[in-house]
Structure formats: structure tokens, C-alpha cells
């Protein structure tokens, strides 16, 4: 796991409540769907990011981060590790404050680049597991 406890706590409680969830679609069988529900329950605004740009959990979707016409605080990444680095780079370009790679999503080079760019980052962790522990 990457991202110490202080970083995880800061991302979840201090860096803002607008979370772009990359890989989130209307497929309720996918983990992103359930994690987004948990984030909403804990007061986060989720923004679905998926090529289909579907509305999910009442929130309008966008095909990519660059299409979102407002600021994003955290980018939560549910894509294959081989694609995750590009998403982290897009998050930096978008001006996000943090990037979160889900369980099983690991790209050490992207982690280093993102941290060097000044963003907080958690990798190979799940906010739906971490956030209830903070309350």
C-alpha cells in the first residue's frame, strides 16, 4: 500500500469533496459503482468519468477529466494499472489536489510523478474501506 495514514486522512477529510471517479459507469456489478455510493454517503460529490459519459448516482458523467467544466479535488482511478499513469498525468493537468489508485491499481512511476507534481496520492487502497475508519 502506498500513502501513509496521514495522507489518506488528509485526502479523505481535508482536500475537498468533489471526486472524479474514473471508470465509473452505470454497471452496478462493478466495484466503482459501489465505492461511489459509499463516497456519496460520506458527503462526497462524485463525478463519473467513463467513455460512455453516463449519468450515475444522479451525477452527470464525462468522457474524460478534461471535459469536466469545474474543479476536481480528488481523482479516484478504477482503470487497469497499464492505463492509470496517463490518468494520473491528466489529474495533474486538470489541477486536482490528490489522486487515489484503487486496490490492485499500481504504477510506481505514476505515483512518483504525481507526488513530485505536489499532489497527495494513495495507491492500492480503497476509500470505501478507509473512510468509515475515520468516523
Amino acid at each position: 500500500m502506498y500513502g501513509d495514514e496521514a495522507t489518506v486522512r488528509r485526502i479523505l477529510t481535508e482536500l475537498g469533496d468533489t471526486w472524479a471517479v474514473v471508470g465509473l459507469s452505470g454497471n452496478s456489478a462493478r466495484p466503482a459503482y459501489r465505492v461511489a455510493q459509499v463516497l456519496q454517503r460520506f458527503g462526497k460529490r462524485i463525478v463519473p468519468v467513463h467513455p460512455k459519459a453516463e449519468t450515475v448516482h444522479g451525477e452527470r458523467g464525462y468522457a474524460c477529466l478534461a471535459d469536466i467544466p469545474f474543479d476536481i479535488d480528488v481523482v479516484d482511478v478504477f482503470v487497469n494499472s497499464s492505463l492509470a499513469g496517463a490518468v494520473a498525468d491528466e489529474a495533474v493537468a486538470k489541477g486536482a489536489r490528490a489522486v487515489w489508485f484503487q486496490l490492485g491499481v499500481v504504477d510506481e512511476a505514476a505515483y512518483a510523478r504525481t507526488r513530485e507534481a505536489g499532489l497527495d496520492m494513495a495507491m492500492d487502497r480503497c476509500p470505501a474501506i478507509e473512510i468509515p475508519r475515520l468516523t
Side-chain angles (χ1 to χ4, degrees):
M1 286 197 276
Y2 299 79
D4 59 57
E5 294 305 314
T7 300
V8 167
R9 177 176 292 278
R10 187 170 44 255
I11 293 170
L12 291 170
T13 65
E14 298 175 23
L15 294 186
D17 292 330
T18 303
W19 284 54
V21 183
V22 178
L24 175 58
S25 70
N27 183 346
S28 62
R30 305 288 300 170
Y33 189 90
R34 294 184 301 280
V35 169
Q37 283 179 312
V38 171
L39 289 170
Q40 281 186 319
R41 251 193 330 271
F42 281 88
K44 307 299 182 191
R45 175 185 182 193
I46 59 105
V47 181
V49 179
H50 189 279
K52 294 180 182 177
E54 298 174 286
T55 295
V56 184
H57 302 311
E59 294 287 348
R60 177 182 171 193
Y62 297 88
C64 65
L65 289 173
D67 289 349
I68 301 171
F70 47 85
D71 290 340
I72 295 297
D73 299 311
V74 181
V75 176
D76 189 6
V77 182
F78 279 91
V79 300
N80 186 290
S81 295
S82 66
L83 304 173
V87 176
D89 295 340
E90 291 170 24
V92 170
K94 177 71 178 157
R97 300 173 75 191
V99 174
W100 193 296
F101 281 8
Q102 282 297 141
L103 288 172
V105 179
V106 176
D107 181 331
E108 292 183 11
Y111 183 87
R113 282 194 314 273
T114 302
R115 298 290 294 140
E116 287 169 13
L119 281 69
D120 278 329
M121 185 162 179
M123 182 166 71
D124 195 24
R125 297 180 84 141
C126 180
I129 293 170
E130 304 292 343
I131 201 167
R133 297 179 348 163
L134 301 177
T135 60

